[in-house]
Amino acid sequence: MSSSSSEEVAAHKMILGIASDVFKRQFFGCLGEPKDEIEIKDAKVEVFDVMVQYIYHKKLDWMDYNLGFLSSLYYLAEKFIIEELREEIIASIPKHEVSEENVLDVAILAEDNLHHQPLSDTLYEAAASFLQHKFDGKLENVYNFCSETEASQANGLVLLKMLAKMKILPNPKCENCKQTPCLNGQVLTRENFVPGATVVEYHERSKLVQFDIDFFDGSGVQRELFGRKMFGQTYETIGYYTSNSTFKCF
């Protein structure tokens, strides 16, 4: 087989035919005379080669490939009707890192793949989930992000779509307080107490104390400080604190 760059990818046509009915028709008739080679004009050789490796059951780590590469691979998987490959690509997308530096690129990639709806939806959800966490329900964070984003038709379109997607996404559970919505800044009580959560309180002379809570009993919050720096010093103590603390989630 030869790709759009005229490079060849060697494979057994019988194995390809078993994996894909499209290959079967191309190699063994139905669409013409049987042939030993087919030309692939719409894919880069490295992407096509990965699909062949998948068909040969080579162990692949999808985290080794960026989302642009995986989108091209998804196109081939859909073209040649390899459903398992499509499903694995979709499942890998949420595991890829989305950051402030690439979130708009991910969303634009989603927009470019609207004709592959499952792929587009998953990419948009990954980008929207990042912004949902970044904005944390605060309009000021939305304003700041928009003011720092280059004004362009493409950015504006995908940003609006991500904001709309955020409305239907489930709120992520806070890793610190284990609640949705997050309890950051709210007063610690017996009802919302979470073992291991980080809380803060103002001590005498208005100095901020931050520590991890261990368990709640009738005397207040028992806390353990192991090598935690407070007031520029390191303490290793066990003691009781009254419950005038607030959650410190970020």
Side-chain angles (χ1 to χ4, degrees), residues 106-131:
V106 174
I108 290 173
L109 185 62
E111 187 67 19
D112 290 341
N113 283 278
L114 287 177
H115 50 296
H116 303 300
Q117 197 65 46
L119 174 64
S120 179
D121 288 345
T122 306
L123 288 168
Y124 259 128
E125 287 178 8
S129 294
F130 169 79
L131 286 187

Side-chain angles (χ1 to χ4, degrees), residues 16-188:
L16 297 183
I18 292 173
S20 165
D21 287 341
V22 177
F23 279 129
K24 182 179 179 180
R25 291 193 296 269
Q26 289 179 325
F27 281 119
F28 299 104
C30 296
L31 297 180
E33 292 297 320
K35 57 183 70 174
D36 293 327
E37 292 186 357
I38 59 173
E39 186 176 7
I40 307 298
K41 298 181 178 180
D42 53 356
K44 294 182 178 180
V45 63
E46 56 267 25
V47 180
F48 189 85
D49 184 58
V50 168
M51 184 179 72
V52 171
Q53 292 180 49
Y54 179 84
I55 291 173
Y56 273 77
H57 299 293
K58 181 176 179 180
K59 187 175 181 179
L60 299 168
D61 185 351
W62 301 126
M63 299 304 294
D64 292 338
Y65 305 95
N66 63 44
L67 293 176
F69 187 100
L70 292 178
S71 296
S72 298
L73 185 61
Y74 184 93
Y75 163 77
L76 287 179
E78 189 164 272
K79 175 181 177 180
F80 290 98
I81 317 178
I82 305 176
E83 182 61 29
E84 294 83 1
L85 178 55
R86 285 192 293 183
E87 291 175 354
E88 288 193 27
I89 292 170
I90 292 297
S92 75
I93 290 175
K95 300 175 185 177
H96 282 72
E97 181 182 5
V98 179
S99 65
E100 192 165 349
E101 288 70 32
N102 71 357
V103 61
L104 289 173
D105 294 331
V106 174
I108 290 173
L109 185 62
E111 187 67 19
D112 290 341
N113 283 278
L114 287 177
H115 50 296
H116 303 300
Q117 197 65 46
L119 174 64
S120 179
D121 288 345
T122 306
L123 288 168
Y124 259 128
E125 287 178 8
S129 294
F130 169 79
L131 286 187
Q132 184 184 55
H133 184 269
K134 177 179 175 59
F135 294 161
D136 190 37
K138 299 177 181 178
L139 281 176
E140 182 179 0
N141 292 339
V142 180
Y143 298 151
N144 290 339
F145 181 82
C146 291
S147 66
E148 296 167 2
T149 298
E150 179 185 354
S152 69
Q153 184 174 357
N155 286 347
L157 173 63
V158 299
L159 184 55
L160 283 175
K161 286 193 173 185
M162 284 189 288
L163 291 174
K165 181 75 71 173
M166 287 168 57
K167 189 174 182 180
I168 61 175
L169 286 177
N171 289 321
K173 182 177 290 187
C174 175
E175 295 182 0
N176 183 56
C177 69
K178 312 301 182 187
Q179 299 296 316
T180 302
C182 176
L183 299 179
N184 183 61
Q186 295 191 29
V187 174
L188 175 67

